[in-house]
Structures are given as structure tokens and as C-alpha cells.
Amino acid sequence: MTEPADPELIPASDACALLGISPATLYAYVSRGQLSSRPGPDPRSRVYLRAEVERLAQRKRAGRGAARGAAQSLDRGLPVLETRISLIRPDGPYYRGRSAVAAARTGATLEDIARLLWECEEQDPFAAAPPPAWPPRVAALALDTGLPPLERTMACIPLLALEQRQSLNAAAPVRREVAAMLLRQNAALLVGVQPDARPVHRLLADAWRPGDAGFAELVRSALVLCADHELNVSAFAARVVASTGAHLHATVSAGLAALSGPRHGGATARAHALLLDAEASGAPAAFIAERWRRGDELPGFNHLLYPDGDPRGTEVLRQLRELCGEQPRMRHVEAVLAATAEHSGQHPNIDGLLAAICYVHGLPGVHALVMFAAARLTGWLAHALEQQALGTLIRPRARYTGLAPGR
């Protein structure tokens, strides 16, 4: 086989050589979702992303040694912390043993999931007085809708900590009430309104599509499905900060900062852009086919932890079809889904479906990130509460690979 013109794409023989495996094993890796392939120079050949192959080869080399296993674990590898909060299974995440998909289908709200994840038992932290209006020093920023939602929120949360007299109170009931207030404040900041006692899904839906009950239900379900996802990047960042004994506002700030990266929360914006670009092309199926042939990524599709498809995305898609199945924009989404399945075999993930909610309803793509951030705060706070209850500091060691002393 001739070498593909794109140096980022390699033929099967090179992929096998890098991994030290047979072609049959290579195809098994593809079928399990550990690698992706694209059409090669001739119809019967396939090519592979060099970066994906090298990353898998690095994991294989890591072996089972303690030091190497620890290094591997920092990229979707071995567990690095014990938690009782959530479990990832092929049929989706489970929140303290309860299926997130089932919770979304049966009408649970984000507040219901918060009470579950925070182990509130008989306490209802949301029954406390609703958050007060923004203090003067915060109001100018909090209500400035000209600022990007995430940046506005990250600017205000540390200032709100100055107003919280019990931010370092270690009593569990007090900490849950602070967490409940933060959940409401965060949602209000993300849409640039005053905080109140409305359920988070209603606050978001009323800000974007007031009076649309079907849309509000769709947002409710999406929030429940995004509330936590085990030890993801932003949850780990929040948990590390919580281990220092910092107040909950600081842990939320850490989670928001991690979420802002293009490889985490920013994936929703790229998924929304894919839908817009496919529409602008005038031929979505051909657009997806050409993009895949070039070796370009398809944001909003595929998930390393769900090789057979992200059940969270599947559930949102089901509800989106029921609500908007005959609308032209939904038909465009279906065309993109069908073309992607045909050419890449990839399934949509939750990032892609959050973007699809916004696209179908004519909303800006940034609203997808707002839904993600409003929901995921629930999990960050659960991890912070769990970590601080343990009372231990998260302080991993590094394996030095630089220049040796004296050389």
C-alpha cells in the first residue's frame, strides 16, 4: 500500500508495526472503539490516525508496573481515587447506584439528583431561603449579558465567596445548603439573571424559550444526564482543590476553569459548528464524507468510554425526535447523524446532542456549554463534599524524566 499523502494518517501495516499486533487484532481494536479508521487511497484499504495509534501504543507500553500504571491512569486508565458518587457502565452513568438515563426518563430534576449525590437523606437543602439578589459589587458583572457566560460566572463566583459567612463551616448540613445556593447562583450567572428558587431547568428554559414546556422538559432531561460523570477532568480539578480544605466556591471556580478548555466543555461549541458548517455546505452527507476522508475529527461523535454509543446522547436524541422530529432543522441533524454513521461508524455523544438541542431550537451554540456547566456543578460539589469528608490531601508524585543532576 502506498503511504497516504497526509502524514497524520498511516496505513494498516504501519499501525500494526507501531502496536506490535496482527491485522486481525487491529480490526478488533477498531470494532471495540479503541481506534478509528478512515477510507484509504483505494476502496478496499483503511488508514488510521497516527496520534491515536501512538497513544494506544503508549498505553500498551505502560505495562502493569506501579509507577507506569499510575502515569497511565491519568488518561482514562486505571482508577486513581475511590468514590461512591457515580459509576460508568456501558448503559450510561449511575448516580449512587441509580441509572442516570432512568432518572431522566422518569422526570427527575437536577435538584433531585443533587439531593441524591450529596447524600442529603432527610435534609432538603433547597428548602432554605432562596439566594438573595446579587450584591452591588457583583451585580454589574452578573447582569452583563454582553460577557460570555462562562467568563461572567468565573468572575463572579470568587466575589460571592466574600459574601458567604459560613463558607468554611465543616458541618455537613451547612455545606449542603451552601452547595444548593451555589447551584442556583451558578445557573443564574450563566444566563445573566437574578437568582431565585425556580428549578434550574426552568430558569434556563425561561431565559431562552419562555412558555415552551416541551423545551423545558428537554433541558431538564439533559441536565440530569450531565450532572456527573465520574472522575472527569473538571471533577478531578475541583476535587484536588477541595482536598486542600478550600471553600466550595473555590472548588466550583476550579471546575469552571477546567471546563472552559476546548477539549472538555468547549467540545459543545465545535459540535454546534459542525452542524452549521454541514448546513452551509448545502450537501451535509457529502460534507461529512469529505471531512472524514481528509482525516478531520467529527466533534460531537464518539466517546472513548462508550464504544457502542453514548447512552446519554441516545436518550436526548430520543426526546429530541419526539419533540421536533418533523422540523426542518431536525431533519438536517438526522442527515448529519446518518452520514456520520455510514462513513465513520461513530455514534453521537452528549456534547453533540447538547449542540443539537441548540441548533434545532435556533439558539446560540454557547447555550450548550451553559447547560453542561449548570448541570456538572452538581457533580463537582458532590466530589468536593466527599473529598473533604475524607480529610485527605490529593498530592500525587511525578516521575522525573529530565536531565539528571550533574550532567
Side-chain angles (χ1 to χ4, degrees):
M1 180 188 297
T2 60
E3 181 73 19
D6 188 338
E8 298 304 314
L9 297 172
I10 59 176
S13 57
D14 288 2
C16 288
L18 283 170
L19 292 167
I21 58 174
S22 68
T25 303
L26 178 66
Y27 304 146
Y29 282 161
V30 173
S31 68
R32 292 197 297 264
Q34 292 174 273
L35 287 174
S36 57
S37 67
R38 291 158 169 73
D42 63 75
R44 292 181 298 175
S45 67
R46 306 293 290 180
V47 291
Y48 303 81
L49 278 171
R50 181 185 297 276
E52 271 191 8
V53 174
E54 290 177 345
R55 187 159 53 243
L56 182 57
Q58 184 179 14
R59 290 179 186 173
K60 285 170 58 67
R61 288 194 299 268
R64 297 186 178 180
R68 290 185 176 182
Q72 177 190 18
S73 70
L74 295 179
D75 185 10
R76 297 181 177 90
L78 304 172
V80 295
L81 286 174
E82 292 183 351
T83 181
R84 298 171 58 235
I85 295 170
S86 63
L87 168 70
I88 296 176
R89 295 180 57 179
D91 58 339
Y94 280 72
Y95 303 150
R96 296 197 185 278
R98 182 181 176 186
S99 165
V101 173
R105 286 179 181 172
T106 53
T109 65
L110 186 63
E111 289 77 8
D112 292 331
I113 300 303
R115 284 184 280 264
L116 173 66
L117 292 180
W118 303 345
E119 291 188 300
C120 293
E121 298 178 347
E122 298 303 314
Q123 180 193 9
D124 183 2
F126 296 98
W134 300 127
R137 75 177 80 192
V138 174
L141 287 171
L143 302 175
D144 185 352
T145 55
L147 293 171
L150 216 60
E151 284 73 8
R152 178 174 57 238
T153 306
M154 287 192 287
C156 292
I157 291 289
L159 298 177
L160 291 172
L162 301 176
E163 308 289 329
Q164 179 52 247
R165 295 181 181 178
Q166 302 200 77
S167 61
L168 294 176
N169 191 317
V174 173
R175 298 181 70 73
R176 294 188 193 108
E177 288 186 359
V178 173
M181 183 187 64
L182 261 171
L183 191 72
R184 286 171 165 164
Q185 289 178 326
N186 176 70
L189 287 169
L190 286 166
V191 294
V193 300
Q194 291 283 359
D196 59 41
R198 278 176 293 173
V200 170
H201 73 276
R202 286 290 306 278
L203 185 145
L204 300 186
D206 289 349
W208 298 336
R209 292 180 64 87
D212 189 336
F215 176 74
E217 273 296 288
L218 192 58
V219 172
R220 178 200 59 77
S221 183
L223 295 182
V224 167
L225 292 165
C226 293
D228 191 60
H229 206 231
E230 195 220 62
L231 205 60
N232 55 83
V233 175
S234 52
F236 186 59
R239 193 157 183 149
V240 169
V241 172
S243 78
T244 70
H247 51 71
L248 294 179
H249 292 70
T251 66
V252 166
S253 296
L256 288 167
L259 188 67
S260 67
R263 296 175 65 187
H264 192 9
T268 55
R270 292 185 289 117
H272 191 262
L274 179 73
L275 291 172
L276 292 177
D277 291 345
E279 179 186 39
S281 73
F287 172 83
I288 294 296
E290 175 59 19
R291 188 180 177 107
W292 185 253
R293 190 196 65 78
R294 290 198 309 261
D296 292 347
E297 138 182 66
L298 297 174
F301 291 86
N302 199 28
H303 197 295
L304 289 176
L305 299 182
Y306 300 112
D308 296 323
D310 185 342
R312 301 168 301 168
T314 301
E315 177 60 19
V316 173
L317 179 58
R318 181 188 69 79
Q319 295 185 34
L320 193 58
R321 282 169 170 162
E322 288 182 0
L323 184 65
C324 309
E326 300 306 316
Q327 296 181 16
R329 281 178 171 261
M330 188 63 205
R331 290 199 292 271
H332 171 69
V333 170
E334 296 284 12
V336 171
L337 295 177
T340 301
E342 177 184 354
H343 296 286
S344 73
Q346 293 184 354
H347 307 282
N349 57 35
I350 190 63
D351 300 317
L353 266 299
L354 291 177
I357 290 174
C358 294
Y359 173 81
V360 170
H361 289 89
L363 299 171
V366 71
H367 289 2
L369 178 57
V370 167
M371 285 188 278
F372 194 94
R376 190 54 60 86
L377 186 99
T378 314
W380 300 338
L381 290 167
H383 283 279
L385 293 171
E386 183 180 65
Q387 185 63 40
Q388 292 186 339
L390 291 173
T392 56
L393 182 70
I394 298 176
R395 202 300 190 186
R397 292 298 310 276
R399 183 162 58 91
Y400 180 69
T401 59
L403 185 66
R407 293 186 62 185

